[in-house]
Amino acid sequence: MISFDTGKTGAALTAAKAEGRAALIGFMHVGYPDVPTSLNALRAMARTCDVVEIGLPYSDPVMDGAVIQRTGTTALARGVRTKDAFAAAEAVTEAGGRAVVMTYWNLVERYGVDRFARDFANAGGCGLITPDLTPDEAGAWMEASDEHGLDRIFLVAPSSTDERIASTVDACRGWVYATAVMGVTGAREQSSTAAPELVRRIRALRPDVPIGIGLGVSGGKQAREIAQFADGVIVGSALVRTLIAAEDAGDPSNLSGLQKVLDDLAAGCRG
């Protein structure tokens, strides 16, 4: 069996594991509450997270829960554009972080697959997470990611067959994104009971692949639970919610709430 290629971002998960902890992978939309504030938030995340997911707002976010939908649709209404993802990648990279884009595939196709890969790589970006793109339909992305040295992170779920898990992992570079629950994004009070079994199934097929667990993590306690069996803890809504709270309080540039949640999650990842 060919060894798994951990690329630019999987190496961060592997390094965290060597330190006896799980990697922290944080999500934030570019453009909310505005582009400059979101870039500051992403910089703060780069200083705490091992990998930063830059969310690219989309007009039909069917996989997103209410919190992430709100920031995405607001960012679009306020004028965010695809090119702002490149400014976000530069901000994360300059702050010492590793940036990936989390995006619906239509946005990349509309921009131009090779053009997007080129511009994102030139901005310091490391790869893409493509939740609505399966490896079977990713020929253009496979070529572009190889050409520009980008990681490609596909998703598996509790409903995935062993055959689908194996083929998806084989198509990945960096790490594999394991969705711990079925349904849309959103912080939950309890971790998914399906997560340990999904990780076990992945490891039985490919023991060398770094695994990030996403959907539902709300704080350090859950991060600590996931850190016991996964290589990366993915958090989105719990971070995004802090920016919503700051804007609702009339102080949209205040990132103290974001940093507090980041610190709690980082402590949880250390176990």
Side-chain angles (χ1 to χ4, degrees):
M1 180 184 296
I2 300 173
S3 61
F4 184 81
D5 185 353
T6 56
K8 298 175 180 178
T9 54
L13 277 68
T14 301
K17 186 175 183 178
E19 296 172 2
R21 64 179 179 86
L24 177 58
I25 304 166
F27 169 95
M28 187 67 69
H29 268 136
V30 63
Y32 181 86
D34 52 54
V35 172
T37 302
S38 69
L39 296 186
N40 286 335
L42 289 162
R43 291 186 186 100
M45 291 168 62
R47 291 188 285 268
T48 303
C49 298
D50 298 277
V51 178
V52 176
E53 293 183 17
I54 300 165
L56 196 49
Y58 184 51
S59 58
D60 189 23
V62 294
M63 300 177 71
D64 296 334
V67 171
I68 291 178
Q69 279 198 22
R70 172 176 168 177
T71 59
T73 54
T74 301
L76 285 173
R78 293 174 181 174
V80 74
R81 293 294 181 264
T82 298
K83 63 181 177 60
D84 292 315
F86 310 133
E90 289 178 350
V92 170
T93 303
E94 290 168 359
R98 294 176 175 88
V100 297
V101 158
M102 176 80 149
T103 181
Y104 290 90
W105 187 244
N106 186 54
L107 291 170
V108 178
E109 244 181 0
R110 181 73 179 268
Y111 189 88
V113 178
D114 187 76
R115 180 183 171 216
F116 188 100
R118 180 201 66 200
D119 291 353
F120 189 60
N122 288 341
C126 296
L128 269 64
I129 301 171
T130 51
D132 61 343
L133 180 71
T134 62
D136 321 61
E137 301 173 346
W141 168 227
M142 301 288 277
E143 291 180 13
S145 58
D146 284 341
E147 174 68 22
H148 299 284
L150 294 172
D151 291 352
R152 45 181 182 257
I153 299 127
F154 295 107
L155 278 66
V156 296
S159 60
S160 300
T161 64
D162 286 351
E163 181 181 17
R164 170 60 70 176
I165 289 173
S167 63
T168 299
V169 170
D170 286 345
C172 288
R173 178 166 56 232
W175 45 285
V176 64
Y177 191 127
T179 58
V181 295
M182 302 297 289
V184 297
T185 60
R188 293 164 171 83
E189 293 184 0
Q190 293 184 330
S191 300
S192 166
T193 56
E197 174 60 16
L198 179 56
V199 170
R200 184 200 65 76
R201 292 175 59 208
I202 297 169
R203 294 208 194 284
L205 295 164
R206 286 300 301 266
D208 57 340
V209 60
I211 303 169
I213 286 286
L215 296 183
V217 178
S218 62
K221 180 181 178 181
Q222 286 172 288
R224 187 173 297 110
E225 293 171 0
I226 291 174
Q228 305 307 308
F229 58 85
D231 304 303
V233 179
I234 306 168
V235 186
S237 296
L239 299 173
V240 172
R241 189 180 290 136
T242 66
L243 266 62
I244 293 175
E247 181 170 50
D248 288 349
D251 191 9
S253 63
N254 186 350
L255 302 180
S256 60
L258 172 64
Q259 191 60 57
K260 182 177 180 180
V261 174
L262 285 168
D263 292 342
D264 180 46
L265 291 165
C269 286
R270 289 193 294 270

